[in-house]
Structure formats: structure tokens, C-alpha cells
Amino acid sequence: SSTRRGAAVPIALSLWLLAFAAAVYQADAQIVGGSLAEPIEPGTVKWLYRPVTGTTRSMGCVAVSPINGDIFFSDNTARKIFKIAGDTGALSVFAGTGTAGFSGDGGLASAAKIHTVSAITVNHVTGDVYFADSGQHVIRKVSNGTGIITTMIGTVGFASYAGDGSVISSNPTLAKLNGPQGLCVTANGAKLLISDTNNHVIRSFTLD
């Protein structure tokens, strides 16, 4: 179900990684547990992903899995979410085909079209990955272990506000969002907090 919060909800921000300009940068190797293939000394900075030196990219957001150290980040110019494996440092496409749009529910996330990813978070209990596609006004989930993508909340391409109190697990379009740009899973892994940015509210969604 989805509920509205009138007061601000404190959401812990992670400073593990920085995404800006044309690259994703690792600021402190110790915070990631030293699990990357090329660890660096604390207090130094290195880039982990930079497609073409000197090009302008729209790097949307970064999240780190507390389960295995996997790093997820969006390159909105490429219309993809990438993953850097926490154990090997290998780079792979996690979601998106490279074409802006919406498709793929029920299939592999890597074969799904996405638009503009403004937030990513990892459920530290289940390992599922959630992301806010603010360009399509939806929240989508990629299930841990299967890589299957589903739309959890919102009506594709339709910006509005609706759905408080509704049970929307079988019909995500009962809830409406407007440019969501922030996500966080609560400590017990039971709720997803959503910054419904253009509606100027924080919303709480109870996970199955």
C-alpha cells in the first residue's frame, strides 16, 4: 500500500561513491570493503567508469549493495543501469537496452527499455534492486537472483498524484507519481520510502 507523509522523513544518504560529469568515482576503498578488483588507499579518489574521456554524460545516481558490495549506477545518456561486481570488479549492463522508452516487464532487466533513472536503492534483506524512472513516473524492481524487472508503482508516462491507501501490488497504476527522484528502504526491509518530487511529498510503500 501507499501512504503520504506530510512531514519530512529523514533518509540516510550514502557518500560511498560520487557520480558526476563523465564518470563514477570511488572516494574511499575501505567503505566498499576493499572488494573491488583495484582497491585504492583511503582518502584518495579514482574513477570506476568513464565511457569516453572528456565527453559529457548524464550520470544519474549510484547505490551500493550492503549484501555483496555490488555497485549500481545509471548512465542516463546511455539509457542504462550498470553494475560493478563487488567481488571481481567486472562491469556489466544491469538494466536498459540503450534506447529510451518503457518495456520489458516480466523479462530480464537487461532487455527492458528505461528512460531517466534518478534513484537506485538495494533492499538489504532481499537483495532486490529498486529504481525510480522519473522520466516515466514509475518505480521499478529488479528481483535478486532472477534479474526479472517489474513495475511496482505508477502509470507509465503519466504524471499525477493518486493511490494513497490502495493495495497496488496487483495493479501498480492505482498509484500515480510525478517525477520521483529519491528512494530508500527502511532498516527492516519492509517499506520503500519514495521522494515523489514534483508532488512535494514523501510516500511510503509496504513491500510484499
PDB file of all heavy atoms in Angstrom, residues 152-185:
ATOM      1  N   MET A 152       6.481  -1.524 -10.146  1.00  0.00           N
ATOM      2  CA  MET A 152       5.833  -1.639  -8.849  1.00  0.00           C
ATOM      3  C   MET A 152       4.778  -0.565  -8.624  1.00  0.00           C
ATOM      4  O   MET A 152       3.714  -0.830  -8.068  1.00  0.00           O
ATOM      5  CB  MET A 152       6.874  -1.544  -7.737  1.00  0.00           C
ATOM      6  CG  MET A 152       7.888  -2.646  -7.698  1.00  0.00           C
ATOM      7  SD  MET A 152       9.081  -2.347  -6.380  1.00  0.00           S
ATOM      8  CE  MET A 152       8.016  -2.291  -4.942  1.00  0.00           C
ATOM      9  N   ILE A 153       5.101   0.680  -9.011  1.00  0.00           N
ATOM     10  CA  ILE A 153       4.243   1.808  -8.671  1.00  0.00           C
ATOM     11  C   ILE A 153       4.224   2.783  -9.834  1.00  0.00           C
ATOM     12  O   ILE A 153       5.270   3.082 -10.414  1.00  0.00           O
ATOM     13  CB  ILE A 153       4.759   2.548  -7.415  1.00  0.00           C
ATOM     14  CG1 ILE A 153       5.039   1.566  -6.268  1.00  0.00           C
ATOM     15  CG2 ILE A 153       3.780   3.624  -6.965  1.00  0.00           C
ATOM     16  CD1 ILE A 153       5.812   2.178  -5.124  1.00  0.00           C
ATOM     17  N   GLY A 154       3.048   3.298 -10.161  1.00  0.00           N
ATOM     18  CA  GLY A 154       2.949   4.378 -11.127  1.00  0.00           C
ATOM     19  C   GLY A 154       2.334   3.968 -12.453  1.00  0.00           C
ATOM     20  O   GLY A 154       2.266   2.788 -12.809  1.00  0.00           O
ATOM     21  N   THR A 155       1.902   4.983 -13.177  1.00  0.00           N
ATOM     22  CA  THR A 155       1.357   4.802 -14.516  1.00  0.00           C
ATOM     23  C   THR A 155       2.355   5.357 -15.517  1.00  0.00           C
ATOM     24  O   THR A 155       2.749   6.523 -15.430  1.00  0.00           O
ATOM     25  CB  THR A 155       0.020   5.546 -14.665  1.00  0.00           C
ATOM     26  OG1 THR A 155      -0.888   5.054 -13.675  1.00  0.00           O
ATOM     27  CG2 THR A 155      -0.567   5.331 -16.051  1.00  0.00           C
ATOM     28  N   VAL A 156       2.787   4.533 -16.435  1.00  0.00           N
ATOM     29  CA  VAL A 156       3.872   4.885 -17.353  1.00  0.00           C
ATOM     30  C   VAL A 156       3.539   6.163 -18.129  1.00  0.00           C
ATOM     31  O   VAL A 156       2.494   6.269 -18.779  1.00  0.00           O
ATOM     32  CB  VAL A 156       4.146   3.734 -18.338  1.00  0.00           C
ATOM     33  CG1 VAL A 156       5.218   4.128 -19.333  1.00  0.00           C
ATOM     34  CG2 VAL A 156       4.546   2.491 -17.576  1.00  0.00           C
ATOM     35  N   GLY A 157       4.440   7.136 -18.021  1.00  0.00           N
ATOM     36  CA  GLY A 157       4.320   8.361 -18.795  1.00  0.00           C
ATOM     37  C   GLY A 157       3.233   9.311 -18.329  1.00  0.00           C
ATOM     38  O   GLY A 157       2.963  10.317 -18.994  1.00  0.00           O
ATOM     39  N   PHE A 158       2.629   9.029 -17.162  1.00  0.00           N
ATOM     40  CA  PHE A 158       1.517   9.848 -16.695  1.00  0.00           C
ATOM     41  C   PHE A 158       1.866  10.429 -15.337  1.00  0.00           C
ATOM     42  O   PHE A 158       1.931   9.719 -14.331  1.00  0.00           O
ATOM     43  CB  PHE A 158       0.243   9.010 -16.605  1.00  0.00           C
ATOM     44  CG  PHE A 158      -0.997   9.803 -16.316  1.00  0.00           C
ATOM     45  CD1 PHE A 158      -1.634  10.519 -17.307  1.00  0.00           C
ATOM     46  CD2 PHE A 158      -1.507   9.840 -15.029  1.00  0.00           C
ATOM     47  CE1 PHE A 158      -2.784  11.252 -17.028  1.00  0.00           C
ATOM     48  CE2 PHE A 158      -2.647  10.564 -14.745  1.00  0.00           C
ATOM     49  CZ  PHE A 158      -3.287  11.272 -15.747  1.00  0.00           C
ATOM     50  N   ALA A 159       2.079  11.730 -15.263  1.00  0.00           N
ATOM     51  CA  ALA A 159       2.434  12.412 -14.020  1.00  0.00           C
ATOM     52  C   ALA A 159       1.185  12.889 -13.313  1.00  0.00           C
ATOM     53  O   ALA A 159       0.404  13.670 -13.860  1.00  0.00           O
ATOM     54  CB  ALA A 159       3.348  13.596 -14.323  1.00  0.00           C
ATOM     55  N   SER A 160       0.983  12.414 -12.056  1.00  0.00           N
ATOM     56  CA  SER A 160      -0.180  12.840 -11.293  1.00  0.00           C
ATOM     57  C   SER A 160       0.033  12.431  -9.836  1.00  0.00           C
ATOM     58  O   SER A 160       1.146  12.085  -9.435  1.00  0.00           O
ATOM     59  CB  SER A 160      -1.457  12.205 -11.854  1.00  0.00           C
ATOM     60  OG  SER A 160      -2.596  12.718 -11.204  1.00  0.00           O
ATOM     61  N   TYR A 161      -1.034  12.497  -9.058  1.00  0.00           N
ATOM     62  CA  TYR A 161      -0.975  12.043  -7.661  1.00  0.00           C
ATOM     63  C   TYR A 161      -2.241  11.260  -7.349  1.00  0.00           C
ATOM     64  O   TYR A 161      -3.361  11.772  -7.495  1.00  0.00           O
ATOM     65  CB  TYR A 161      -0.868  13.220  -6.686  1.00  0.00           C
ATOM     66  CG  TYR A 161      -0.693  12.759  -5.254  1.00  0.00           C
ATOM     67  CD1 TYR A 161       0.574  12.589  -4.731  1.00  0.00           C
ATOM     68  CD2 TYR A 161      -1.784  12.433  -4.463  1.00  0.00           C
ATOM     69  CE1 TYR A 161       0.759  12.116  -3.441  1.00  0.00           C
ATOM     70  CE2 TYR A 161      -1.616  11.953  -3.178  1.00  0.00           C
ATOM     71  CZ  TYR A 161      -0.349  11.801  -2.671  1.00  0.00           C
ATOM     72  OH  TYR A 161      -0.169  11.321  -1.398  1.00  0.00           O
ATOM     73  N   ALA A 162      -2.064  10.001  -6.935  1.00  0.00           N
ATOM     74  CA  ALA A 162      -3.201   9.157  -6.576  1.00  0.00           C
ATOM     75  C   ALA A 162      -2.684   7.911  -5.879  1.00  0.00           C
ATOM     76  O   ALA A 162      -1.485   7.621  -5.901  1.00  0.00           O
ATOM     77  CB  ALA A 162      -4.005   8.760  -7.822  1.00  0.00           C
ATOM     78  N   GLY A 163      -3.607   7.177  -5.226  1.00  0.00           N
ATOM     79  CA  GLY A 163      -3.290   5.847  -4.738  1.00  0.00           C
ATOM     80  C   GLY A 163      -3.093   5.681  -3.259  1.00  0.00           C
ATOM     81  O   GLY A 163      -2.896   4.547  -2.802  1.00  0.00           O
ATOM     82  N   ASP A 164      -3.126   6.744  -2.461  1.00  0.00           N
ATOM     83  CA  ASP A 164      -2.914   6.578  -1.028  1.00  0.00           C
ATOM     84  C   ASP A 164      -3.941   5.616  -0.430  1.00  0.00           C
ATOM     85  O   ASP A 164      -5.149   5.736  -0.670  1.00  0.00           O
ATOM     86  CB  ASP A 164      -3.014   7.926  -0.317  1.00  0.00           C
ATOM     87  CG  ASP A 164      -1.757   8.759  -0.487  1.00  0.00           C
ATOM     88  OD1 ASP A 164      -0.798   8.256  -1.088  1.00  0.00           O
ATOM     89  OD2 ASP A 164      -1.739   9.905  -0.004  1.00  0.00           O
ATOM     90  N   GLY A 165      -3.440   4.647   0.334  1.00  0.00           N
ATOM     91  CA  GLY A 165      -4.315   3.678   0.979  1.00  0.00           C
ATOM     92  C   GLY A 165      -4.696   2.507   0.107  1.00  0.00           C
ATOM     93  O   GLY A 165      -5.333   1.561   0.580  1.00  0.00           O
ATOM     94  N   SER A 166      -4.314   2.520  -1.154  1.00  0.00           N
ATOM     95  CA  SER A 166      -4.679   1.441  -2.076  1.00  0.00           C
ATOM     96  C   SER A 166      -3.698   0.277  -1.975  1.00  0.00           C
ATOM     97  O   SER A 166      -2.511   0.464  -1.723  1.00  0.00           O
ATOM     98  CB  SER A 166      -4.691   1.939  -3.522  1.00  0.00           C
ATOM     99  OG  SER A 166      -5.613   2.990  -3.693  1.00  0.00           O
ATOM    100  N   VAL A 167      -4.185  -0.924  -2.168  1.00  0.00           N
ATOM    101  CA  VAL A 167      -3.332  -2.109  -2.296  1.00  0.00           C
ATOM    102  C   VAL A 167      -3.029  -2.253  -3.779  1.00  0.00           C
ATOM    103  O   VAL A 167      -3.903  -2.620  -4.570  1.00  0.00           O
ATOM    104  CB  VAL A 167      -4.026  -3.364  -1.758  1.00  0.00           C
ATOM    105  CG1 VAL A 167      -3.131  -4.586  -1.953  1.00  0.00           C
ATOM    106  CG2 VAL A 167      -4.363  -3.188  -0.288  1.00  0.00           C
ATOM    107  N   ILE A 168      -1.783  -1.948  -4.157  1.00  0.00           N
ATOM    108  CA  ILE A 168      -1.481  -1.827  -5.580  1.00  0.00           C
ATOM    109  C   ILE A 168      -0.544  -2.908  -6.110  1.00  0.00           C
ATOM    110  O   ILE A 168      -0.064  -2.821  -7.222  1.00  0.00           O
ATOM    111  CB  ILE A 168      -0.874  -0.443  -5.892  1.00  0.00           C
ATOM    112  CG1 ILE A 168       0.491  -0.303  -5.201  1.00  0.00           C
ATOM    113  CG2 ILE A 168      -1.811   0.677  -5.469  1.00  0.00           C
ATOM    114  CD1 ILE A 168       1.230   0.952  -5.586  1.00  0.00           C
ATOM    115  N   SER A 169      -0.292  -3.947  -5.292  1.00  0.00           N
ATOM    116  CA  SER A 169       0.672  -4.968  -5.718  1.00  0.00           C
ATOM    117  C   SER A 169       0.256  -5.644  -7.014  1.00  0.00           C
ATOM    118  O   SER A 169       1.107  -6.041  -7.819  1.00  0.00           O
ATOM    119  CB  SER A 169       0.850  -6.009  -4.608  1.00  0.00           C
ATOM    120  OG  SER A 169      -0.401  -6.583  -4.264  1.00  0.00           O
ATOM    121  N   SER A 170      -1.055  -5.780  -7.263  1.00  0.00           N
ATOM    122  CA  SER A 170      -1.520  -6.421  -8.490  1.00  0.00           C
ATOM    123  C   SER A 170      -1.858  -5.412  -9.579  1.00  0.00           C
ATOM    124  O   SER A 170      -2.074  -5.794 -10.730  1.00  0.00           O
ATOM    125  CB  SER A 170      -2.754  -7.283  -8.197  1.00  0.00           C
ATOM    126  OG  SER A 170      -3.807  -6.485  -7.683  1.00  0.00           O
ATOM    127  N   ASN A 171      -1.903  -4.127  -9.217  1.00  0.00           N
ATOM    128  CA  ASN A 171      -2.235  -3.090 -10.194  1.00  0.00           C
ATOM    129  C   ASN A 171      -1.495  -1.801  -9.853  1.00  0.00           C
ATOM    130  O   ASN A 171      -2.051  -0.910  -9.191  1.00  0.00           O
ATOM    131  CB  ASN A 171      -3.737  -2.849 -10.239  1.00  0.00           C
ATOM    132  CG  ASN A 171      -4.133  -1.887 -11.353  1.00  0.00           C
ATOM    133  OD1 ASN A 171      -3.297  -1.457 -12.144  1.00  0.00           O
ATOM    134  ND2 ASN A 171      -5.405  -1.541 -11.424  1.00  0.00           N
ATOM    135  N   PRO A 172      -0.241  -1.692 -10.280  1.00  0.00           N
ATOM    136  CA  PRO A 172       0.570  -0.536  -9.900  1.00  0.00           C
ATOM    137  C   PRO A 172       0.024   0.786 -10.403  1.00  0.00           C
ATOM    138  O   PRO A 172       0.367   1.845  -9.872  1.00  0.00           O
ATOM    139  CB  PRO A 172       1.936  -0.839 -10.530  1.00  0.00           C
ATOM    140  CG  PRO A 172       1.662  -1.828 -11.613  1.00  0.00           C
ATOM    141  CD  PRO A 172       0.507  -2.633 -11.126  1.00  0.00           C
ATOM    142  N   THR A 173      -0.847   0.757 -11.416  1.00  0.00           N
ATOM    143  CA  THR A 173      -1.355   2.005 -11.973  1.00  0.00           C
ATOM    144  C   THR A 173      -2.370   2.679 -11.049  1.00  0.00           C
ATOM    145  O   THR A 173      -2.789   3.808 -11.303  1.00  0.00           O
ATOM    146  CB  THR A 173      -2.002   1.781 -13.353  1.00  0.00           C
ATOM    147  OG1 THR A 173      -3.129   0.919 -13.216  1.00  0.00           O
ATOM    148  CG2 THR A 173      -1.000   1.176 -14.311  1.00  0.00           C
ATOM    149  N   LEU A 174      -2.785   1.984  -9.960  1.00  0.00           N
ATOM    150  CA  LEU A 174      -3.675   2.628  -8.993  1.00  0.00           C
ATOM    151  C   LEU A 174      -2.979   3.791  -8.301  1.00  0.00           C
ATOM    152  O   LEU A 174      -3.636   4.702  -7.799  1.00  0.00           O
ATOM    153  CB  LEU A 174      -4.159   1.611  -7.951  1.00  0.00           C
ATOM    154  CG  LEU A 174      -5.137   0.545  -8.449  1.00  0.00           C
ATOM    155  CD1 LEU A 174      -5.440  -0.451  -7.344  1.00  0.00           C
ATOM    156  CD2 LEU A 174      -6.424   1.191  -8.937  1.00  0.00           C
ATOM    157  N   ALA A 175      -1.660   3.745  -8.255  1.00  0.00           N
ATOM    158  CA  ALA A 175      -0.875   4.843  -7.682  1.00  0.00           C
ATOM    159  C   ALA A 175      -0.288   5.693  -8.795  1.00  0.00           C
ATOM    160  O   ALA A 175       0.149   5.177  -9.820  1.00  0.00           O
ATOM    161  CB  ALA A 175       0.236   4.303  -6.791  1.00  0.00           C
ATOM    162  N   LYS A 176      -0.258   6.981  -8.586  1.00  0.00           N
ATOM    163  CA  LYS A 176       0.321   7.914  -9.552  1.00  0.00           C
ATOM    164  C   LYS A 176       1.451   8.679  -8.880  1.00  0.00           C
ATOM    165  O   LYS A 176       1.345   9.093  -7.715  1.00  0.00           O
ATOM    166  CB  LYS A 176      -0.736   8.898 -10.058  1.00  0.00           C
ATOM    167  CG  LYS A 176      -1.959   8.257 -10.708  1.00  0.00           C
ATOM    168  CD  LYS A 176      -1.626   7.605 -12.030  1.00  0.00           C
ATOM    169  CE  LYS A 176      -2.888   7.212 -12.804  1.00  0.00           C
ATOM    170  NZ  LYS A 176      -3.682   6.152 -12.152  1.00  0.00           N
ATOM    171  N   LEU A 177       2.528   8.890  -9.620  1.00  0.00           N
ATOM    172  CA  LEU A 177       3.688   9.638  -9.152  1.00  0.00           C
ATOM    173  C   LEU A 177       3.978  10.762 -10.135  1.00  0.00           C
ATOM    174  O   LEU A 177       3.484  10.763 -11.260  1.00  0.00           O
ATOM    175  CB  LEU A 177       4.914   8.724  -9.045  1.00  0.00           C
ATOM    176  CG  LEU A 177       4.785   7.464  -8.173  1.00  0.00           C
ATOM    177  CD1 LEU A 177       6.013   6.580  -8.377  1.00  0.00           C
ATOM    178  CD2 LEU A 177       4.627   7.830  -6.711  1.00  0.00           C
ATOM    179  N   ASN A 178       4.833  11.687  -9.690  1.00  0.00           N
ATOM    180  CA  ASN A 178       5.221  12.790 -10.574  1.00  0.00           C
ATOM    181  C   ASN A 178       6.707  13.084 -10.405  1.00  0.00           C
ATOM    182  O   ASN A 178       7.116  13.772  -9.487  1.00  0.00           O
ATOM    183  CB  ASN A 178       4.397  14.042 -10.249  1.00  0.00           C
ATOM    184  CG  ASN A 178       4.572  15.138 -11.292  1.00  0.00           C
ATOM    185  OD1 ASN A 178       5.482  15.098 -12.116  1.00  0.00           O
ATOM    186  ND2 ASN A 178       3.706  16.127 -11.264  1.00  0.00           N
ATOM    187  N   GLY A 179       7.501  12.477 -11.275  1.00  0.00           N
ATOM    188  CA  GLY A 179       8.945  12.716 -11.277  1.00  0.00           C
ATOM    189  C   GLY A 179       9.667  12.289 -10.025  1.00  0.00           C
ATOM    190  O   GLY A 179      10.432  13.071  -9.459  1.00  0.00           O
ATOM    191  N   PRO A 180       9.485  11.039  -9.544  1.00  0.00           N
ATOM    192  CA  PRO A 180      10.163  10.590  -8.321  1.00  0.00           C
ATOM    193  C   PRO A 180      11.679  10.610  -8.488  1.00  0.00           C
ATOM    194  O   PRO A 180      12.195  10.134  -9.485  1.00  0.00           O
ATOM    195  CB  PRO A 180       9.634   9.171  -8.127  1.00  0.00           C
ATOM    196  CG  PRO A 180       9.263   8.723  -9.514  1.00  0.00           C
ATOM    197  CD  PRO A 180       8.738   9.952 -10.198  1.00  0.00           C
ATOM    198  N   GLN A 181      12.375  11.139  -7.456  1.00  0.00           N
ATOM    199  CA  GLN A 181      13.828  11.278  -7.570  1.00  0.00           C
ATOM    200  C   GLN A 181      14.591  10.825  -6.339  1.00  0.00           C
ATOM    201  O   GLN A 181      15.766  11.156  -6.178  1.00  0.00           O
ATOM    202  CB  GLN A 181      14.185  12.735  -7.893  1.00  0.00           C
ATOM    203  CG  GLN A 181      13.679  13.187  -9.255  1.00  0.00           C
ATOM    204  CD  GLN A 181      14.162  14.563  -9.639  1.00  0.00           C
ATOM    205  OE1 GLN A 181      15.141  15.066  -9.099  1.00  0.00           O
ATOM    206  NE2 GLN A 181      13.492  15.194 -10.584  1.00  0.00           N
ATOM    207  N   GLY A 182      13.944  10.061  -5.467  1.00  0.00           N
ATOM    208  CA  GLY A 182      14.659   9.557  -4.297  1.00  0.00           C
ATOM    209  C   GLY A 182      14.018   8.293  -3.772  1.00  0.00           C
ATOM    210  O   GLY A 182      12.786   8.172  -3.759  1.00  0.00           O
ATOM    211  N   LEU A 183      14.846   7.317  -3.340  1.00  0.00           N
ATOM    212  CA  LEU A 183      14.361   6.055  -2.804  1.00  0.00           C
ATOM    213  C   LEU A 183      15.209   5.629  -1.617  1.00  0.00           C
ATOM    214  O   LEU A 183      16.414   5.879  -1.577  1.00  0.00           O
ATOM    215  CB  LEU A 183      14.434   4.940  -3.862  1.00  0.00           C
ATOM    216  CG  LEU A 183      13.560   5.044  -5.111  1.00  0.00           C
ATOM    217  CD1 LEU A 183      13.908   3.893  -6.054  1.00  0.00           C
ATOM    218  CD2 LEU A 183      12.091   5.014  -4.753  1.00  0.00           C
ATOM    219  N   CYS A 184      14.566   4.957  -0.665  1.00  0.00           N
ATOM    220  CA  CYS A 184      15.299   4.388   0.467  1.00  0.00           C
ATOM    221  C   CYS A 184      14.473   3.257   1.062  1.00  0.00           C
ATOM    222  O   CYS A 184      13.261   3.386   1.206  1.00  0.00           O
ATOM    223  CB  CYS A 184      15.557   5.458   1.525  1.00  0.00           C
ATOM    224  SG  CYS A 184      16.519   4.894   2.953  1.00  0.00           S
ATOM    225  N   VAL A 185      15.117   2.128   1.382  1.00  0.00           N
ATOM    226  CA  VAL A 185      14.460   1.014   2.047  1.00  0.00           C
ATOM    227  C   VAL A 185      14.673   1.156   3.551  1.00  0.00           C
ATOM    228  O   VAL A 185      15.775   1.470   4.004  1.00  0.00           O
ATOM    229  CB  VAL A 185      15.013  -0.336   1.554  1.00  0.00           C
ATOM    230  CG1 VAL A 185      14.360  -1.499   2.312  1.00  0.00           C
ATOM    231  CG2 VAL A 185      14.774  -0.492   0.062  1.00  0.00           C
TER     232      VAL A 185
END
